[in-house]
Amino acid sequence: GLQGQQTVYVTVHDQNLIPVAGAQVRLQMSLPTGEEIDLPLEVQTDAKGMARLIVPFKTSLPGIVILRVTARLDDLEGSTISSFRAWY
């Protein structure tokens, strides 16, 4: 199988493109096998609205790993999708 880690950088801004400090950032991962993983990683954005997460992965098939990123502050939430390729 394939295993490793991917570093993910997340930047959170409000509707006026001002950085959002203190937002909780979470990740969900979809592996090439179809397995869905809700990662137990949760970090807060810093004063510049940035967060860095190191995402471990393990899959039996090469292919695209899809990351669903969610940022939440109080009752506001935003999300996006990113991906990387798991390869030999």
Side-chain angles (χ1 to χ4, degrees), residues 11-73:
T11 304
V12 180
H13 297 270
D14 68 11
Q15 67 273 21
N16 297 312
L17 300 179
I18 297 171
V20 176
Q24 296 290 326
V25 178
R26 292 187 56 94
L27 292 174
Q28 291 179 306
M29 182 168 46
S30 298
L31 298 173
T33 58
E35 183 181 1
E36 301 277 335
I37 300 172
D38 188 13
L39 295 167
L41 307 170
E42 187 168 311
V43 299
Q44 282 192 344
T45 54
D46 64 16
K48 296 179 183 177
M50 299 185 70
R52 177 178 175 260
L53 299 98
I54 297 177
V55 182
F57 68 92
K58 185 175 183 180
T59 180
S60 58
L61 295 174
I64 300 296
V65 177
I66 298 171
L67 298 173
R68 289 174 188 82
V69 182
T70 303
R72 175 176 289 179
L73 182 66

